[in-house]
Amino acid sequence: MDAEASAQLRRRVMAAGTSGAGRCRLSKVGAGRRPPPARVRVAVRLRPFVDGTVGASDPPCVRGMDSCSLEIANWRNHQETLKYQFDAFYGERSTQQDIYAGSVQPILRHLLEGQNASVLAYGPTGAGKTHTMLGSPEQPGVIPRALMDLLQLTREEGAEGRPWALSVTMSYLEIYQEKVLDLLDSASGDLVIREDCRGNILIPGLTQKPITSFADFERHFLPASRNRTVGATRLNQRSSRSHAVLLVKVDQRERLAPFRQREGKLYLIDLAGSEDNRRTGNKGLRLKESGAINTSLFVLGKVVDALNQGLPRVPYRDSKLTRLLQDSLGGSAHSILIANIAPERRFYLDTVSALNFAARSKEVINRPFTNESLQLHVLAPVKLSQKELLGPSEAKRARGPEGEEIGSPEPTEAPASASQKLSPLQKLSSMDPAMLERLLSLDRLLGSQGSQGAPLLSTPRRERMVLMKTVEEKDLEIERLKMKQKELEAKVLAQEAVDPKEKENCSPTVLRPLSHRTVTVARPLKKAVVMPLQLIQEQAASPNTEIHILKNKGRKRKLESLDASEPEGKAEDCWELQISPELLAHGRQKILDLLNEGSARDLRSLQRIGPKKAQLIVGWRELHGPFSQVEDLERVEGITGKQMESFLKANILGLAAGQRCGPS
């Protein structure tokens, strides 16, 4: 019987290892072998009786047998008991220090090795989970004690002279009704849970606060704790209505070669308790919250069962809680489950359910590994000279004609020694001399220890250098094209300076950059003088006189010349109006006479005077008397000052063209 039980246990462990741990991706360090398994450790804490509760004088339903086992009455047969054995059992008289020192403190050292760890507080509502994790000012819980020791460890390991530089950041969130909410930034809204290429669970947009001391932690954590959703039920006045997760990251950077990086994450999780709504009396919003809590805990139990049975699919994605705990259960973390139970008989069913879940979780196998990577940007970017990037002929062409004419010889470099030829750090002339000397000494030290060739060139930095060389070659090609363009522009300008015809046709302020580009130059405006018709007829009778007449042709006005000897190209010149003062005075007088003596029909013969405006002018004249000047039209309704100038020009041009302007 014992052999069969041991074989069954061995098959279950192997199945859990292949199903859960097989999904985690290993880092490059130690990728040749699988990381050793680490079982989820389970500790059970029995809280004491709460003062004032009903049945506090009754004997408890749970009794501890030793530091690792306990027994509870069998609900099917009260004369029998059910025995459970775990990694640790803490009775009613256990303190916060006992639980922390016995179960939580040993896993903190894994964070300094670049591995993940998690602590989960599980149990029914009112069993003391929040007290175990947070505690009180007199009796601090797991979270403040773990942060205090972790910060002390990072200060010691990251001190000056140690090989690693350490930094610590914290994030705090809650899962409320299947929504991931950032407690450090309450306005962030619902966040999403992602998985990176190495299988690590992350939350984009989650606030991270750097902490260097316990005072920094309290400054961020205490206000965020007040943002957590709590509510009153019949069993607990401050019942947690959400799952709270405190994430602490420890980043390590190696100060010397090969400049490795490590990242360890610590999850401190205070789960909301499962609730029996018949005893809690939840209604409305509390009932909805209770349903979300029980659903997530039910999915958590399904995940544990799937891992133990070796099922091909583990339902991590069925709940936000299990998605976040993917590293902690069947993943890559050193996990501690603290199951909190109550001694009262009215909590009997909840206690049995919590003990059964803890017993199943004890068989889950994790495979922690070190999250280690090499730092890509170790050294400053190497600035290679133009001569090193291009060949001798290409470098000579890149200098252009000016460089060829000058022909200044470059100083020859001294021949390097054999050790200097092997070092890739000799080209870093732009760095700080002290830093360069330190890197060179480190390179010589690595070379003296038996490394073959250039040790620093075996990193991904070689591909980066090839890419930088390609970019610089493209930049030099662009510079060569710019210089060629400038040479062509200079040749075009030189030809224009020699050719007089090109100089006459081109404006001195306009340059022609290339020969194939044409530039249009504006010609000077031609002026047309408008004179009375009688003067035009007199000038037409005299010989060798150039007379200009304005004629309408469609929408465009064209200037025609009466002189046949004038070239036709001048008829296309631009022109502008210039009215002589005599013609302007004569036209104003005739318009004034028409305004004072003409009828409404005669007034309509004027340009821009319609029937309505003509009636207004006649009515205004009968009421106020004759017009003294043409500008009096501004006082007539419908005639504005802006229209007066265009009105005068239009009618004076009509007079010059011989149009009828006066009483009929």
Side-chain angles (χ1 to χ4, degrees):
M1 189 69 179
D2 295 339
E4 183 180 356
S6 61
Q8 183 179 2
L9 179 61
R10 190 181 304 107
R11 287 195 300 269
R12 186 177 297 177
V13 169
M14 292 178 63
T18 55
S19 62
R23 284 180 297 275
C24 64
R25 295 183 175 88
L26 305 181
S27 62
K28 293 183 179 180
V29 180
R33 63 180 186 276
R34 297 186 65 186
R39 182 177 52 82
V40 175
R41 300 179 60 84
V42 178
V44 177
R45 183 182 189 184
L46 176 64
R47 70 161 173 80
F49 282 94
V50 179
D51 296 337
T53 57
V54 180
S57 59
D58 296 339
C61 62
V62 180
R63 184 175 65 89
M65 300 178 63
D66 52 30
S67 61
C68 295
S69 60
L70 58 92
E71 64 177 1
I72 185 173
N74 188 356
W75 61 279
R76 290 188 178 91
N77 188 356
H78 296 285
Q79 296 180 357
E80 296 180 357
T81 59
L82 301 175
K83 295 182 180 180
Y84 294 89
Q85 187 170 4
F86 301 100
D87 297 288
F89 171 73
Y90 302 98
E92 302 175 359
R93 298 182 180 180
S94 61
T95 62
Q96 302 276 58
Q97 176 62 24
D98 296 337
I99 299 170
Y100 171 73
S103 298
V104 180
Q105 192 175 22
I107 68 172
L108 296 181
R109 59 181 178 84
H110 297 295
L111 298 175
L112 302 182
E113 300 173 0
Q115 299 181 2
N116 300 335
S118 60
V119 180
L120 297 89
Y122 180 86
T125 180
K129 300 181 298 299
T130 304
H131 177 72
T132 300
M133 297 302 293
L134 296 181
S136 61
E138 297 78 15
Q139 297 181 357
V142 170
I143 290 178
R145 293 175 186 270
L147 265 296
M148 189 175 297
D149 287 353
L150 183 60
L151 291 172
Q152 180 65 27
L153 286 175
T154 54
R155 281 195 296 268
E156 294 175 358
E157 294 296 328
E160 193 68 27
R162 293 296 185 94
W164 295 88
L166 286 84
S167 61
V168 182
T169 59
M170 63 165 288
S171 302
Y172 198 26
L173 62 96
E174 70 172 352
I175 302 177
Y176 176 71
Q177 295 187 14
E178 289 301 305
K179 294 181 180 179
V180 181
L181 305 178
D182 190 353
L183 295 178
L184 294 175
D185 183 10
S186 57
S188 61
D190 187 13
L191 303 177
V192 295
I193 302 176
R194 301 297 188 199
E195 183 177 357
D196 63 3
C197 59
R198 294 188 297 175
N200 298 322
I201 300 300
L202 51 89
I203 302 177
L206 184 63
T207 304
Q208 296 185 9
K209 297 290 185 181
I211 53 176
T212 57
S213 63
F214 190 75
D216 294 341
F217 167 73
E218 286 183 327
R219 186 173 67 254
H220 300 307
F221 182 77
L222 294 180
S225 299
R226 291 190 286 269
N227 295 333
R228 186 183 178 185
T229 306
V230 296
T233 63
R234 290 180 182 177
L235 301 179
N236 193 354
Q237 293 298 322
R238 286 186 57 83
S239 175
S240 301
R241 315 310 299 167
S242 63
H243 308 291
V245 180
L246 176 64
L247 174 59
V248 182
K249 286 186 179 181
V250 180
D251 293 325
Q252 305 179 66
R253 287 175 173 81
E254 198 172 13
R255 291 191 171 99
L256 300 176
F259 303 100
R260 293 171 295 176
Q261 288 184 346
R262 290 178 179 176
E263 182 185 75
K265 294 186 293 185
L266 174 63
Y267 292 92
L268 299 171
I269 306 167
D270 181 14
L271 298 174
S274 58
E275 296 182 341
D276 186 355
N277 295 317
R278 295 171 296 182
R279 292 191 294 113
T280 56
N282 292 331
K283 296 180 181 180
L285 179 61
R286 293 289 175 263
L287 184 62
K288 186 177 180 180
E289 294 171 348
S290 177
I293 293 171
N294 292 337
T295 301
S296 61
L297 294 178
F298 175 71
V299 176
L300 180 62
K302 290 174 58 179
V303 168
V304 172
D305 293 339
L307 292 174
N308 291 334
Q309 297 174 14
L311 298 180
R313 178 186 179 274
V314 181
Y316 286 116
R317 297 177 181 268
D318 292 357
S319 173
K320 294 289 184 66
L321 175 63
T322 53
R323 179 64 168 160
L324 189 62
L325 296 181
Q326 188 169 342
D327 286 341
S328 303
L329 296 174
S332 60
H334 297 270
S335 299
I336 300 293
L337 176 66
I338 303 177
N340 294 262
I341 57 177
E344 291 86 359
R345 290 187 177 273
R346 59 196 179 102
F347 287 100
Y348 176 80
L349 295 178
D350 294 332
T351 300
V352 172
S353 177
L355 291 176
N356 290 334
F357 176 80
R360 300 196 309 271
S361 301
K362 186 180 64 172
E363 301 177 0
V364 175
I365 302 298
N366 293 349
R367 291 188 177 273
F369 61 88
T370 300
N371 298 310
E372 185 175 291
S373 61
L374 292 176
Q375 187 175 358
L376 297 179
H377 304 285
V378 177
L379 304 175
V382 180
K383 297 182 179 179
L384 300 178
S385 62
Q386 183 178 358
K387 184 177 180 181
E388 293 172 346
L389 289 176
L390 302 176
S393 59
E394 294 182 356
K396 187 175 181 180
R397 288 197 302 268
R399 286 196 299 267
E402 297 180 358
E404 294 178 358
E405 293 177 1
I406 296 174
S408 58
E410 297 181 357
T412 59
E413 298 180 356
S417 61
S419 61
Q420 291 177 349
K421 289 181 180 179
L422 295 178
S423 175
L425 302 173
Q426 297 297 325
K427 299 177 182 179
L428 303 180
S429 58
S430 61
M431 293 184 60
D432 185 19
M435 180 62 68
L436 180 60
E437 181 63 27
R438 187 174 179 182
L439 292 176
L440 290 175
S441 61
L442 176 62
D443 188 38
R444 288 192 296 269
L445 177 62
L446 293 176
S448 63
Q449 292 179 355
S451 59
Q452 299 179 358
L456 294 182
L457 288 180
S458 61
T459 63
R461 182 170 169 270
R462 174 179 295 177
E463 288 78 6
R464 176 168 156 264
M465 293 297 302
V466 173
L467 182 60
M468 290 174 55
K469 183 177 179 180
T470 305
V471 172
E472 297 234 1
E473 288 178 353
K474 297 297 182 182
D475 293 340
L476 289 175
E477 181 67 23
I478 294 174
E479 292 296 330
R480 285 198 295 269
L481 292 176
K482 289 182 179 180
M483 294 176 63
K484 187 175 181 180
Q485 181 181 359
K486 290 181 180 180
E487 292 177 0
L488 293 176
E489 292 178 359
K491 290 180 180 179
V492 171
L493 294 177
Q495 292 178 359
E496 292 178 354
V498 173
D499 193 354
K501 295 182 180 180
E502 293 288 338
K503 187 174 181 181
E504 291 177 0
N505 296 334
C506 183
S507 174
T509 58
V510 180
L511 297 179
R512 184 176 299 174
L514 295 176
S515 58
H516 64 275
R517 296 179 60 182
T518 58
V519 180
T520 58
V521 182
R523 297 181 180 180
L525 297 177
K526 190 81 173 178
K527 295 183 180 180
V529 180
V530 180
M531 296 176 292
L533 183 60
Q534 294 82 2
L535 184 58
I536 293 175
Q537 294 175 354
E538 294 176 0
Q539 292 180 355
S542 60
N544 300 328
T545 304
E546 184 181 0
I547 303 174
H548 298 279
I549 301 177
L550 287 174
K551 292 185 179 180
N552 291 335
K553 186 178 181 181
R555 289 188 177 182
K556 299 181 180 179
R557 289 184 176 178
K558 184 177 180 181
L559 183 64
E560 295 183 352
S561 176
L562 296 180
D563 191 0
S565 62
E566 186 175 357
E568 295 180 0
K570 290 187 178 181
E572 297 179 359
D573 293 342
C574 299
W575 51 270
E576 64 179 6
L577 293 177
Q578 184 176 0
I579 303 175
S580 62
E582 296 79 5
L583 181 60
L584 181 61
H586 178 73
R588 289 173 66 92
Q589 185 61 38
K590 295 200 70 173
I591 293 172
L592 183 60
D593 295 341
L594 184 59
L595 291 176
N596 291 330
E597 300 174 2
S599 62
R601 183 179 179 182
D602 298 332
L603 290 173
R604 286 201 303 271
S605 63
L606 290 174
Q607 298 289 334
R608 306 192 183 187
I609 297 295
K612 293 183 179 181
K613 291 184 180 180
Q615 293 293 337
L616 288 175
I617 293 173
V618 173
W620 191 90
R621 186 176 62 193
E622 294 176 356
L623 182 62
H624 298 282
F627 291 90
S628 60
Q629 55 183 357
V630 181
E631 283 75 8
D632 290 342
L633 282 174
E634 296 180 1
R635 290 182 287 178
V636 180
E637 183 179 359
I639 303 296
T640 61
K642 293 182 179 180
Q643 298 174 344
M644 181 56 62
E645 183 178 356
S646 60
F647 172 77
L648 290 175
K649 288 183 178 180
N651 287 281
I652 291 173
L653 288 176
L655 292 173
Q659 295 180 359
R660 178 172 170 267
C661 184
S664 57

